[in-house]
Amino acid sequence: QKINPALHDISPRLGLVWVPTADRRTTVRLSGGTFYDQNHYNYSDTFLNQTLLNQGRYVFNANDPSLNPFYNPADPNGSKSILRAFLASNFPNPPNLAAVGKLPQVANVLDPNFRSPYTLQITGGVTHQFASNLYVQADYVDSRGKDQIIIRQTNLQLVNGVYLTNDPRYSQFTLYQNIGWTQYDALQTRVQYTGSTLHLGVSYTLAKTTSDLNASGSAMSGLATNPFDLSIDVGPANNDRRHNLAFDGSYTFPLDIQLSGLFHYGSPLPWSVTSVTVVYARPEPRNNRRDDDYKSADVRLSKVFKLGPHLSATGFWEAFNLFNTDNFYNYQASLQSSSFGQPQSEFPKRA
């Protein structure tokens, strides 16, 4: 189907700066605007390849009656066993689809009014110079994502507490719609000292990010947990890091030798518990748990060599994660896993 053209994707922006005192040590800032996302994903091309140009797409799930072609309401457990046996019959190769006749396929559909997501953002802040080399800055940021992409499985009906397909020719209609949202609020602060040889700074951000996007950061967004109740997916966003603290500094010694460093602390990110036996619902509220915090210290030692009046070269040694701190992420979320709640990945060690 055709997508209706969007003729109103205009991005107005406004910024104001006020210097209220005669000594010009204080600066007040206010800015706002509309920012449309740059979609580096060709949705139309994807749907052409996945619907018109391929032989078929199939999705099976023994715990979801709408995705089980062998489902029998009189024997739900037996239906699960039949599908599992079918999928395992030719493992590790794909099952023989021709052996069971015509199977329902999956179709992807774009909403006729599909649009590029955008963000409305307002920022206000103040900077004050307390001494000739000391600055203090604070900003408040309010950012609201609109028309975010959510994928809904629309070939469903709820009958006596059981989700069944509307059109038996298809197991899924995955409809891409601009019905999601995000909200980010943050207080960003910084203190900075700049001397002739010494530079020091500390930055702290207190933030909160919420959304109804059941996504892991991919451009394709995510499939709604329940297409009839999007509120199930409302909760902390996957990147909701509440506290960020950073110290940075450098010192220039004689002979153009400089030592610089950066320390970063980030509070834990959230993750969601999953279960293969829970369909169109959540065993716990979204992103109800948190992983470990993040800590890393980087250091660099450099020396500038003068090779002439207009030419120089810099040699340096640097180390990342100097103290070899363990920073884990990607926690096992499945309740059926023996490693539930354990980290599956780790950020790089010292390098």
mmCIF file of all heavy atoms in Angstrom, residues 297-344:
data_model
loop_
_atom_site.group_PDB
_atom_site.id
_atom_site.type_symbol
_atom_site.label_atom_id
_atom_site.label_comp_id
_atom_site.label_asym_id
_atom_site.label_seq_id
_atom_site.Cartn_x
_atom_site.Cartn_y
_atom_site.Cartn_z
ATOM 1 N N ALA A 297 38.873 4.362 34.396
ATOM 2 C CA ALA A 297 39.849 5.450 34.476
ATOM 3 C C ALA A 297 40.818 5.313 33.298
ATOM 4 O O ALA A 297 41.379 4.231 33.075
ATOM 5 C CB ALA A 297 40.607 5.407 35.796
ATOM 6 N N ASP A 298 40.995 6.401 32.567
ATOM 7 C CA ASP A 298 41.907 6.429 31.426
ATOM 8 C C ASP A 298 43.010 7.455 31.690
ATOM 9 O O ASP A 298 42.766 8.495 32.318
ATOM 10 C CB ASP A 298 41.170 6.803 30.140
ATOM 11 C CG ASP A 298 39.969 5.898 29.872
ATOM 12 O OD1 ASP A 298 40.022 4.715 30.273
ATOM 13 O OD2 ASP A 298 38.983 6.385 29.275
ATOM 14 N N VAL A 299 44.195 7.180 31.201
ATOM 15 C CA VAL A 299 45.320 8.088 31.421
ATOM 16 C C VAL A 299 46.156 8.178 30.149
ATOM 17 O O VAL A 299 46.225 7.203 29.368
ATOM 18 C CB VAL A 299 46.186 7.611 32.624
ATOM 19 C CG1 VAL A 299 46.861 6.288 32.317
ATOM 20 C CG2 VAL A 299 47.211 8.660 33.003
ATOM 21 N N ARG A 300 46.789 9.327 29.955
ATOM 22 C CA ARG A 300 47.615 9.545 28.770
ATOM 23 C C ARG A 300 48.825 10.409 29.150
ATOM 24 O O ARG A 300 48.680 11.421 29.843
ATOM 25 C CB ARG A 300 46.809 10.231 27.678
ATOM 26 C CG ARG A 300 47.629 10.667 26.466
ATOM 27 C CD ARG A 300 46.732 11.187 25.378
ATOM 28 N NE ARG A 300 47.483 11.782 24.283
ATOM 29 C CZ ARG A 300 47.077 11.825 23.024
ATOM 30 N NH1 ARG A 300 45.915 11.297 22.693
ATOM 31 N NH2 ARG A 300 47.799 12.394 22.101
ATOM 32 N N LEU A 301 50.014 10.005 28.672
ATOM 33 C CA LEU A 301 51.243 10.759 28.851
ATOM 34 C C LEU A 301 51.793 11.084 27.461
ATOM 35 O O LEU A 301 51.966 10.182 26.627
ATOM 36 C CB LEU A 301 52.260 9.948 29.645
ATOM 37 C CG LEU A 301 53.606 10.620 29.938
ATOM 38 C CD1 LEU A 301 53.411 11.826 30.856
ATOM 39 C CD2 LEU A 301 54.590 9.620 30.547
ATOM 40 N N SER A 302 52.041 12.356 27.203
ATOM 41 C CA SER A 302 52.464 12.759 25.864
ATOM 42 C C SER A 302 53.643 13.722 25.939
ATOM 43 O O SER A 302 53.873 14.385 26.949
ATOM 44 C CB SER A 302 51.311 13.410 25.105
ATOM 45 O OG SER A 302 50.896 14.607 25.747
ATOM 46 N N LYS A 303 54.371 13.793 24.830
ATOM 47 C CA LYS A 303 55.519 14.687 24.703
ATOM 48 C C LYS A 303 55.512 15.288 23.299
ATOM 49 O O LYS A 303 55.374 14.577 22.298
ATOM 50 C CB LYS A 303 56.821 13.921 24.921
ATOM 51 C CG LYS A 303 58.104 14.696 24.558
ATOM 52 C CD LYS A 303 58.404 15.801 25.560
ATOM 53 C CE LYS A 303 59.797 16.399 25.326
ATOM 54 N NZ LYS A 303 59.818 17.278 24.125
ATOM 55 N N VAL A 304 55.613 16.613 23.238
ATOM 56 C CA VAL A 304 55.647 17.324 21.972
ATOM 57 C C VAL A 304 57.093 17.569 21.566
ATOM 58 O O VAL A 304 57.907 18.054 22.369
ATOM 59 C CB VAL A 304 54.877 18.658 22.061
ATOM 60 C CG1 VAL A 304 54.969 19.415 20.735
ATOM 61 C CG2 VAL A 304 53.422 18.413 22.424
ATOM 62 N N PHE A 305 57.404 17.232 20.329
ATOM 63 C CA PHE A 305 58.744 17.427 19.790
ATOM 64 C C PHE A 305 58.674 18.493 18.698
ATOM 65 O O PHE A 305 57.940 18.345 17.715
ATOM 66 C CB PHE A 305 59.290 16.127 19.202
ATOM 67 C CG PHE A 305 59.430 15.016 20.201
ATOM 68 C CD1 PHE A 305 58.391 14.115 20.402
ATOM 69 C CD2 PHE A 305 60.591 14.873 20.952
ATOM 70 C CE1 PHE A 305 58.504 13.086 21.324
ATOM 71 C CE2 PHE A 305 60.719 13.851 21.873
ATOM 72 C CZ PHE A 305 59.678 12.956 22.065
ATOM 73 N N LYS A 306 59.431 19.565 18.878
ATOM 74 C CA LYS A 306 59.489 20.628 17.892
ATOM 75 C C LYS A 306 60.464 20.232 16.772
ATOM 76 O O LYS A 306 61.634 19.957 17.025
ATOM 77 C CB LYS A 306 59.951 21.935 18.533
ATOM 78 C CG LYS A 306 59.035 22.456 19.636
ATOM 79 C CD LYS A 306 57.700 22.930 19.093
ATOM 80 C CE LYS A 306 56.860 23.560 20.199
ATOM 81 N NZ LYS A 306 55.551 24.023 19.688
ATOM 82 N N LEU A 307 59.957 20.222 15.540
ATOM 83 C CA LEU A 307 60.768 19.846 14.397
ATOM 84 C C LEU A 307 61.087 21.031 13.499
ATOM 85 O O LEU A 307 61.696 20.857 12.442
ATOM 86 C CB LEU A 307 60.043 18.768 13.577
ATOM 87 C CG LEU A 307 59.658 17.497 14.351
ATOM 88 C CD1 LEU A 307 58.938 16.528 13.432
ATOM 89 C CD2 LEU A 307 60.889 16.849 14.971
ATOM 90 N N GLY A 308 60.686 22.209 13.919
ATOM 91 C CA GLY A 308 60.919 23.397 13.124
ATOM 92 C C GLY A 308 59.948 24.477 13.533
ATOM 93 O O GLY A 308 59.111 24.301 14.433
ATOM 94 N N PRO A 309 60.024 25.639 12.909
ATOM 95 C CA PRO A 309 59.133 26.739 13.309
ATOM 96 C C PRO A 309 57.664 26.454 13.034
ATOM 97 O O PRO A 309 56.799 27.024 13.691
ATOM 98 C CB PRO A 309 59.640 27.916 12.468
ATOM 99 C CG PRO A 309 60.351 27.275 11.315
ATOM 100 C CD PRO A 309 60.956 26.015 11.843
ATOM 101 N N HIS A 310 57.375 25.584 12.073
ATOM 102 C CA HIS A 310 55.977 25.315 11.721
ATOM 103 C C HIS A 310 55.641 23.825 11.736
ATOM 104 O O HIS A 310 54.623 23.422 11.177
ATOM 105 C CB HIS A 310 55.669 25.886 10.327
ATOM 106 C CG HIS A 310 55.968 27.342 10.178
ATOM 107 N ND1 HIS A 310 55.245 28.323 10.836
ATOM 108 C CD2 HIS A 310 56.940 27.986 9.477
ATOM 109 C CE1 HIS A 310 55.742 29.515 10.517
ATOM 110 N NE2 HIS A 310 56.782 29.340 9.708
ATOM 111 N N LEU A 311 56.471 23.014 12.369
ATOM 112 C CA LEU A 311 56.259 21.572 12.336
ATOM 113 C C LEU A 311 56.583 20.972 13.693
ATOM 114 O O LEU A 311 57.597 21.328 14.311
ATOM 115 C CB LEU A 311 57.135 20.928 11.255
ATOM 116 C CG LEU A 311 56.969 19.417 11.034
ATOM 117 C CD1 LEU A 311 55.560 19.117 10.532
ATOM 118 C CD2 LEU A 311 58.014 18.917 10.042
ATOM 119 N N SER A 312 55.738 20.085 14.154
ATOM 120 C CA SER A 312 55.966 19.395 15.425
ATOM 121 C C SER A 312 55.377 17.991 15.339
ATOM 122 O O SER A 312 54.544 17.689 14.475
ATOM 123 C CB SER A 312 55.340 20.168 16.592
ATOM 124 O OG SER A 312 53.929 20.209 16.459
ATOM 125 N N ALA A 313 55.782 17.145 16.242
ATOM 126 C CA ALA A 313 55.281 15.769 16.332
ATOM 127 C C ALA A 313 55.012 15.467 17.798
ATOM 128 O O ALA A 313 55.687 15.994 18.698
ATOM 129 C CB ALA A 313 56.283 14.784 15.745
ATOM 130 N N THR A 314 54.025 14.616 18.043
ATOM 131 C CA THR A 314 53.645 14.247 19.408
ATOM 132 C C THR A 314 53.752 12.740 19.570
ATOM 133 O O THR A 314 53.160 11.971 18.798
ATOM 134 C CB THR A 314 52.212 14.697 19.724
ATOM 135 O OG1 THR A 314 52.107 16.117 19.561
ATOM 136 C CG2 THR A 314 51.837 14.326 21.154
ATOM 137 N N GLY A 315 54.488 12.327 20.563
ATOM 138 C CA GLY A 315 54.529 10.926 20.951
ATOM 139 C C GLY A 315 53.752 10.745 22.248
ATOM 140 O O GLY A 315 53.786 11.611 23.121
ATOM 141 N N PHE A 316 53.024 9.637 22.369
ATOM 142 C CA PHE A 316 52.193 9.468 23.565
ATOM 143 C C PHE A 316 52.070 8.001 23.946
ATOM 144 O O PHE A 316 52.239 7.098 23.123
ATOM 145 C CB PHE A 316 50.807 10.085 23.347
ATOM 146 C CG PHE A 316 50.007 9.429 22.249
ATOM 147 C CD1 PHE A 316 49.182 8.339 22.505
ATOM 148 C CD2 PHE A 316 50.077 9.921 20.956
ATOM 149 C CE1 PHE A 316 48.460 7.745 21.493
ATOM 150 C CE2 PHE A 316 49.345 9.337 19.934
ATOM 151 C CZ PHE A 316 48.519 8.241 20.204
ATOM 152 N N TRP A 317 51.804 7.803 25.226
ATOM 153 C CA TRP A 317 51.448 6.501 25.794
ATOM 154 C C TRP A 317 50.130 6.685 26.512
ATOM 155 O O TRP A 317 49.922 7.661 27.224
ATOM 156 C CB TRP A 317 52.532 6.039 26.767
ATOM 157 C CG TRP A 317 52.134 4.822 27.561
ATOM 158 C CD1 TRP A 317 52.312 3.516 27.226
ATOM 159 C CD2 TRP A 317 51.481 4.809 28.838
ATOM 160 N NE1 TRP A 317 51.810 2.682 28.188
ATOM 161 C CE2 TRP A 317 51.285 3.456 29.199
ATOM 162 C CE3 TRP A 317 51.027 5.813 29.706
ATOM 163 C CZ2 TRP A 317 50.673 3.078 30.389
ATOM 164 C CZ3 TRP A 317 50.407 5.444 30.888
ATOM 165 C CH2 TRP A 317 50.250 4.093 31.229
ATOM 166 N N GLU A 318 49.200 5.746 26.313
ATOM 167 C CA GLU A 318 47.907 5.868 26.969
ATOM 168 C C GLU A 318 47.390 4.497 27.377
ATOM 169 O O GLU A 318 47.763 3.470 26.788
ATOM 170 C CB GLU A 318 46.894 6.569 26.062
ATOM 171 C CG GLU A 318 46.654 5.914 24.727
ATOM 172 C CD GLU A 318 45.755 6.759 23.826
ATOM 173 O OE1 GLU A 318 45.447 7.900 24.198
ATOM 174 O OE2 GLU A 318 45.372 6.257 22.749
ATOM 175 N N ALA A 319 46.553 4.495 28.392
ATOM 176 C CA ALA A 319 45.949 3.266 28.898
ATOM 177 C C ALA A 319 44.470 3.521 29.169
ATOM 178 O O ALA A 319 44.106 4.558 29.735
ATOM 179 C CB ALA A 319 46.652 2.801 30.168
ATOM 180 N N PHE A 320 43.659 2.572 28.760
ATOM 181 C CA PHE A 320 42.230 2.646 29.011
ATOM 182 C C PHE A 320 41.856 1.622 30.077
ATOM 183 O O PHE A 320 42.382 0.511 30.108
ATOM 184 C CB PHE A 320 41.445 2.371 27.722
ATOM 185 C CG PHE A 320 41.752 3.343 26.612
ATOM 186 C CD1 PHE A 320 42.689 3.043 25.645
ATOM 187 C CD2 PHE A 320 41.110 4.571 26.554
ATOM 188 C CE1 PHE A 320 42.984 3.932 24.629
ATOM 189 C CE2 PHE A 320 41.397 5.473 25.540
ATOM 190 C CZ PHE A 320 42.338 5.151 24.578
ATOM 191 N N ASN A 321 40.929 2.016 30.941
ATOM 192 C CA ASN A 321 40.553 1.177 32.084
ATOM 193 C C ASN A 321 41.808 0.809 32.871
ATOM 194 O O ASN A 321 42.150 -0.363 33.048
ATOM 195 C CB ASN A 321 39.800 -0.070 31.629
ATOM 196 C CG ASN A 321 39.110 -0.786 32.781
ATOM 197 O OD1 ASN A 321 39.111 -0.325 33.924
ATOM 198 N ND2 ASN A 321 38.524 -1.937 32.484
ATOM 199 N N LEU A 322 42.490 1.848 33.336
ATOM 200 C CA LEU A 322 43.805 1.716 33.957
ATOM 201 C C LEU A 322 43.815 0.713 35.103
ATOM 202 O O LEU A 322 44.778 -0.054 35.262
ATOM 203 C CB LEU A 322 44.268 3.092 34.455
ATOM 204 C CG LEU A 322 45.620 3.150 35.161
ATOM 205 C CD1 LEU A 322 46.739 2.781 34.194
ATOM 206 C CD2 LEU A 322 45.846 4.543 35.761
ATOM 207 N N PHE A 323 42.759 0.679 35.910
ATOM 208 C CA PHE A 323 42.727 -0.193 37.089
ATOM 209 C C PHE A 323 42.108 -1.556 36.790
ATOM 210 O O PHE A 323 41.812 -2.319 37.710
ATOM 211 C CB PHE A 323 41.984 0.499 38.228
ATOM 212 C CG PHE A 323 42.604 1.814 38.625
ATOM 213 C CD1 PHE A 323 41.949 3.009 38.367
ATOM 214 C CD2 PHE A 323 43.850 1.855 39.231
ATOM 215 C CE1 PHE A 323 42.515 4.222 38.719
ATOM 216 C CE2 PHE A 323 44.424 3.065 39.584
ATOM 217 C CZ PHE A 323 43.763 4.252 39.329
ATOM 218 N N ASN A 324 41.875 -1.842 35.501
ATOM 219 C CA ASN A 324 41.388 -3.157 35.079
ATOM 220 C C ASN A 324 40.068 -3.524 35.769
ATOM 221 O O ASN A 324 39.866 -4.663 36.203
ATOM 222 C CB ASN A 324 42.444 -4.230 35.366
ATOM 223 C CG ASN A 324 42.474 -5.291 34.291
ATOM 224 O OD1 ASN A 324 42.072 -5.063 33.156
ATOM 225 N ND2 ASN A 324 42.925 -6.474 34.657
ATOM 226 N N THR A 325 39.177 -2.552 35.860
ATOM 227 C CA THR A 325 37.907 -2.754 36.549
ATOM 228 C C THR A 325 36.977 -3.632 35.723
ATOM 229 O O THR A 325 36.882 -3.487 34.500
ATOM 230 C CB THR A 325 37.227 -1.400 36.811
ATOM 231 O OG1 THR A 325 38.146 -0.555 37.511
ATOM 232 C CG2 THR A 325 35.959 -1.581 37.619
ATOM 233 N N ASP A 326 36.295 -4.559 36.379
ATOM 234 C CA ASP A 326 35.282 -5.390 35.713
ATOM 235 C C ASP A 326 34.009 -4.578 35.536
ATOM 236 O O ASP A 326 33.432 -4.083 36.514
ATOM 237 C CB ASP A 326 34.983 -6.643 36.534
ATOM 238 C CG ASP A 326 36.147 -7.619 36.543
ATOM 239 O OD1 ASP A 326 36.739 -7.829 35.470
ATOM 240 O OD2 ASP A 326 36.460 -8.166 37.615
ATOM 241 N N ASN A 327 33.556 -4.459 34.285
ATOM 242 C CA ASN A 327 32.309 -3.769 33.970
ATOM 243 C C ASN A 327 31.440 -4.713 33.136
ATOM 244 O O ASN A 327 31.659 -4.883 31.929
ATOM 245 C CB ASN A 327 32.585 -2.476 33.198
ATOM 246 C CG ASN A 327 33.261 -1.425 34.061
ATOM 247 O OD1 ASN A 327 32.723 -0.991 35.074
ATOM 248 N ND2 ASN A 327 34.457 -1.020 33.658
ATOM 249 N N PHE A 328 30.475 -5.340 33.795
ATOM 250 C CA PHE A 328 29.644 -6.346 33.143
ATOM 251 C C PHE A 328 28.359 -5.724 32.597
ATOM 252 O O PHE A 328 27.879 -4.696 33.096
ATOM 253 C CB PHE A 328 29.282 -7.459 34.128
ATOM 254 C CG PHE A 328 30.478 -8.200 34.666
ATOM 255 C CD1 PHE A 328 30.895 -8.021 35.975
ATOM 256 C CD2 PHE A 328 31.191 -9.065 33.854
ATOM 257 C CE1 PHE A 328 31.995 -8.692 36.467
ATOM 258 C CE2 PHE A 328 32.297 -9.748 34.332
ATOM 259 C CZ PHE A 328 32.695 -9.564 35.646
ATOM 260 N N TYR A 329 27.802 -6.376 31.577
ATOM 261 C CA TYR A 329 26.510 -5.955 31.031
ATOM 262 C C TYR A 329 25.867 -7.149 30.330
ATOM 263 O O TYR A 329 26.399 -8.265 30.365
ATOM 264 C CB TYR A 329 26.677 -4.776 30.065
ATOM 265 C CG TYR A 329 27.390 -5.093 28.764
ATOM 266 C CD1 TYR A 329 26.679 -5.275 27.591
ATOM 267 C CD2 TYR A 329 28.785 -5.202 28.713
ATOM 268 C CE1 TYR A 329 27.332 -5.565 26.401
ATOM 269 C CE2 TYR A 329 29.436 -5.474 27.524
ATOM 270 C CZ TYR A 329 28.715 -5.662 26.369
ATOM 271 O OH TYR A 329 29.352 -5.940 25.194
ATOM 272 N N ASN A 330 24.704 -6.923 29.701
ATOM 273 C CA ASN A 330 23.980 -7.973 28.981
ATOM 274 C C ASN A 330 23.657 -9.143 29.914
ATOM 275 O O ASN A 330 24.105 -10.279 29.728
ATOM 276 C CB ASN A 330 24.779 -8.448 27.770
ATOM 277 C CG ASN A 330 23.999 -9.409 26.887
ATOM 278 O OD1 ASN A 330 22.762 -9.395 26.856
ATOM 279 N ND2 ASN A 330 24.714 -10.264 26.160
ATOM 280 N N TYR A 331 22.833 -8.870 30.906
ATOM 281 C CA TYR A 331 22.499 -9.881 31.912
ATOM 282 C C TYR A 331 21.466 -10.864 31.361
ATOM 283 O O TYR A 331 20.554 -10.490 30.628
ATOM 284 C CB TYR A 331 21.968 -9.202 33.174
ATOM 285 C CG TYR A 331 23.084 -8.632 34.027
ATOM 286 C CD1 TYR A 331 23.892 -7.609 33.554
ATOM 287 C CD2 TYR A 331 23.346 -9.139 35.294
ATOM 288 C CE1 TYR A 331 24.930 -7.097 34.311
ATOM 289 C CE2 TYR A 331 24.382 -8.629 36.073
ATOM 290 C CZ TYR A 331 25.164 -7.618 35.575
ATOM 291 O OH TYR A 331 26.192 -7.116 36.319
ATOM 292 N N GLN A 332 21.642 -12.143 31.745
ATOM 293 C CA GLN A 332 20.711 -13.183 31.300
ATOM 294 C C GLN A 332 19.340 -12.928 31.918
ATOM 295 O O GLN A 332 19.170 -12.952 33.131
ATOM 296 C CB GLN A 332 21.232 -14.565 31.717
ATOM 297 C CG GLN A 332 20.290 -15.712 31.407
ATOM 298 C CD GLN A 332 19.919 -15.805 29.942
ATOM 299 O OE1 GLN A 332 18.802 -15.439 29.554
ATOM 300 N NE2 GLN A 332 20.846 -16.267 29.118
ATOM 301 N N ALA A 333 18.350 -12.678 31.053
ATOM 302 C CA ALA A 333 17.033 -12.242 31.527
ATOM 303 C C ALA A 333 15.999 -13.348 31.570
ATOM 304 O O ALA A 333 14.927 -13.164 32.155
ATOM 305 C CB ALA A 333 16.523 -11.106 30.630
ATOM 306 N N SER A 334 16.299 -14.495 30.964
ATOM 307 C CA SER A 334 15.300 -15.566 30.874
ATOM 308 C C SER A 334 15.191 -16.337 32.185
ATOM 309 O O SER A 334 16.195 -16.841 32.704
ATOM 310 C CB SER A 334 15.660 -16.529 29.740
ATOM 311 O OG SER A 334 14.789 -17.642 29.732
ATOM 312 N N LEU A 335 13.973 -16.457 32.684
ATOM 313 C CA LEU A 335 13.751 -17.208 33.913
ATOM 314 C C LEU A 335 14.040 -18.693 33.736
ATOM 315 O O LEU A 335 14.272 -19.408 34.714
ATOM 316 C CB LEU A 335 12.298 -17.024 34.382
ATOM 317 C CG LEU A 335 11.941 -15.650 34.963
ATOM 318 C CD1 LEU A 335 10.440 -15.551 35.190
ATOM 319 C CD2 LEU A 335 12.690 -15.405 36.260
ATOM 320 N N GLN A 336 14.019 -19.171 32.477
ATOM 321 C CA GLN A 336 14.260 -20.588 32.214
ATOM 322 C C GLN A 336 15.752 -20.915 32.127
ATOM 323 O O GLN A 336 16.120 -22.087 32.045
ATOM 324 C CB GLN A 336 13.582 -21.004 30.906
ATOM 325 C CG GLN A 336 12.069 -21.195 31.016
ATOM 326 C CD GLN A 336 11.322 -19.895 31.227
ATOM 327 O OE1 GLN A 336 11.648 -18.882 30.626
ATOM 328 N NE2 GLN A 336 10.307 -19.922 32.082
ATOM 329 N N SER A 337 16.613 -19.904 32.157
ATOM 330 C CA SER A 337 18.046 -20.146 32.024
ATOM 331 C C SER A 337 18.683 -20.431 33.383
ATOM 332 O O SER A 337 18.339 -19.814 34.390
ATOM 333 C CB SER A 337 18.715 -18.932 31.378
ATOM 334 O OG SER A 337 20.117 -19.083 31.374
ATOM 335 N N SER A 338 19.636 -21.355 33.377
ATOM 336 C CA SER A 338 20.351 -21.664 34.615
ATOM 337 C C SER A 338 21.271 -20.519 35.039
ATOM 338 O O SER A 338 21.709 -20.467 36.183
ATOM 339 C CB SER A 338 21.180 -22.945 34.432
ATOM 340 O OG SER A 338 22.108 -22.787 33.364
ATOM 341 N N SER A 339 21.583 -19.625 34.101
ATOM 342 C CA SER A 339 22.432 -18.471 34.416
ATOM 343 C C SER A 339 21.610 -17.193 34.566
ATOM 344 O O SER A 339 22.136 -16.100 34.373
ATOM 345 C CB SER A 339 23.488 -18.282 33.321
ATOM 346 O OG SER A 339 22.889 -18.057 32.053
ATOM 347 N N PHE A 340 20.333 -17.334 34.915
ATOM 348 C CA PHE A 340 19.467 -16.161 35.080
ATOM 349 C C PHE A 340 20.096 -15.155 36.048
ATOM 350 O O PHE A 340 20.572 -15.505 37.121
ATOM 351 C CB PHE A 340 18.102 -16.586 35.609
ATOM 352 C CG PHE A 340 17.223 -15.421 35.996
ATOM 353 C CD1 PHE A 340 16.626 -14.632 35.034
ATOM 354 C CD2 PHE A 340 17.021 -15.102 37.342
ATOM 355 C CE1 PHE A 340 15.831 -13.554 35.379
ATOM 356 C CE2 PHE A 340 16.231 -14.028 37.700
ATOM 357 C CZ PHE A 340 15.627 -13.256 36.719
ATOM 358 N N GLY A 341 20.080 -13.880 35.615
ATOM 359 C CA GLY A 341 20.605 -12.814 36.458
ATOM 360 C C GLY A 341 22.101 -12.653 36.411
ATOM 361 O O GLY A 341 22.640 -11.775 37.099
ATOM 362 N N GLN A 342 22.794 -13.466 35.596
ATOM 363 C CA GLN A 342 24.242 -13.378 35.506
ATOM 364 C C GLN A 342 24.647 -12.610 34.245
ATOM 365 O O GLN A 342 23.982 -12.698 33.215
ATOM 366 C CB GLN A 342 24.863 -14.778 35.466
ATOM 367 C CG GLN A 342 24.576 -15.613 36.694
ATOM 368 C CD GLN A 342 25.110 -14.975 37.962
ATOM 369 O OE1 GLN A 342 26.270 -14.545 37.993
ATOM 370 N NE2 GLN A 342 24.297 -14.919 39.003
ATOM 371 N N PRO A 343 25.734 -11.845 34.310
ATOM 372 C CA PRO A 343 26.172 -11.096 33.121
ATOM 373 C C PRO A 343 26.684 -12.027 32.041
ATOM 374 O O PRO A 343 27.354 -13.025 32.320
ATOM 375 C CB PRO A 343 27.284 -10.192 33.660
ATOM 376 C CG PRO A 343 27.792 -10.898 34.873
ATOM 377 C CD PRO A 343 26.604 -11.606 35.478
ATOM 378 N N GLN A 344 26.375 -11.680 30.788
ATOM 379 C CA GLN A 344 26.809 -12.473 29.643
ATOM 380 C C GLN A 344 27.937 -11.800 28.862
ATOM 381 O O GLN A 344 28.542 -12.424 27.990
ATOM 382 C CB GLN A 344 25.625 -12.711 28.694
ATOM 383 C CG GLN A 344 24.402 -13.320 29.371
ATOM 384 C CD GLN A 344 24.694 -14.686 29.987
ATOM 385 O OE1 GLN A 344 25.036 -15.610 29.271
ATOM 386 N NE2 GLN A 344 24.551 -14.783 31.297
#
